[in-house]
Amino acid sequence: MNEQLFINEAIDSAIRKYIKSKEGMNEAELDSFECVVVRALILIYGELDILNPFKTNNERNFNDNLKKFGLNEVALLEFKERFLNFYKNAMDTLAVKQDFLSIQKSLIDMFMLKKSHVLISDDEIQQFKNLLYTKEDANPSKFALYSKYTPESDEIKNYYSNELFKLNHTYNFSEFKDSLLSNEAYQLAGYNLPEIQNKKEAEIQNINNKVFHFFNIKDNDKDKKRRLESAILYYKKYGNTEKGNGYVNLLLVLSMVATGLMMALIFGIQFLR
């Protein structure tokens, strides 16, 4: 393995400890704070996304992997700096208390970003919660660190609960967000997308129907959204002087032309016979 320092002392040391612990060389280290951080990262991103960049000493890949669910550069940099500061000053309880909290909050943010992008099982959620440091922790090693840095504090427990609530609240709204049409469609029909987003699903569907009617697209059309895209292009090119009938008339003309060509082809084949 490449002995060159990976990113910073904290991340390098944590991953090395994790690998040795997994190999059975020092299993007790698995419950150290550094290893727990790595275990959380692996739970969120997968072992390959964390260990492979380490093995190839590729910081850019490591950063890209941590940002794949939407973590921004500022949050990533803060996580690295907090982790390094904790590593260097772990013996000074007061000096690293905020780092101890901030690192866990960063991990919670990463986990919530993942949860907002992919389906996560209840078992995986419980595994992640078990890696946090709270006063309900049944792991003696982890509870000892909790008591050392944040005795009797519910800050991490509350932060996790609040972030989970906000995510679920947002997610419930986004369940029907897919029914929203494009901003351009709403604008051309005289509506404002930001205002529509705050409405209930039934109201959104009602407005959508009005938008489809504006472009003369029938309610029972099974391919309404694709036809809407074509209608918007036609509208932008030719206008809508007949309140949307132009698009429908174009379809009728094309249909008639196609029918005529088909009939001509049929008669031509019969004539050749």
Side-chain angles (χ1 to χ4, degrees), residues 33-160:
F33 184 64
E34 293 101 312
C35 279
V36 168
V37 170
V38 174
R39 288 166 60 192
L41 290 174
I42 287 174
L43 179 64
I44 297 168
Y45 299 102
E47 195 168 69
L48 290 178
D49 280 355
I50 302 303
L51 299 191
N52 275 2
F54 168 77
K55 292 176 180 178
T56 58
N57 199 29
N58 193 324
E59 182 176 1
R60 180 176 180 180
N61 282 355
F62 181 84
N63 292 344
D64 289 343
N65 291 341
L66 263 61
K67 291 189 287 186
K68 71 179 180 181
F69 296 124
L71 186 72
N72 63 54
E73 190 70 36
V74 174
L76 176 59
L77 182 61
E78 182 181 1
F79 168 73
K80 290 180 179 179
E81 290 177 346
R82 290 283 191 178
F83 199 18
L84 180 59
N85 192 61
F86 180 89
Y87 175 80
K88 288 182 174 180
N89 303 286
M91 300 304 294
D92 189 339
T93 304
L94 292 178
V96 299
K97 175 182 177 180
Q98 287 305 316
D99 297 316
F100 184 72
L101 292 169
S102 179
I103 292 165
Q104 292 184 79
K105 289 179 180 179
S106 293
L107 293 172
I108 291 171
D109 292 342
M110 295 176 196
F111 185 75
M112 295 303 167
L113 283 169
K114 178 182 179 179
K115 193 174 187 301
S116 70
H117 284 77
V118 299
L119 184 64
I120 295 179
S121 68
D122 292 339
D123 181 60
E124 192 173 346
I125 291 173
Q126 189 58 51
Q127 286 182 54
F128 180 78
K129 286 177 66 176
N130 290 342
L131 292 173
L132 300 176
Y133 289 78
T134 66
K135 61 185 176 186
E136 291 84 9
D137 205 323
N139 183 305
S141 299
K142 289 179 70 258
F143 183 76
L145 284 179
Y146 161 80
S147 300
K148 178 180 180 180
Y149 295 114
T150 54
E152 297 303 315
S153 172
D154 285 326
E155 187 167 345
I156 291 301
K157 177 183 176 181
N158 292 338
Y159 186 81
Y160 174 83

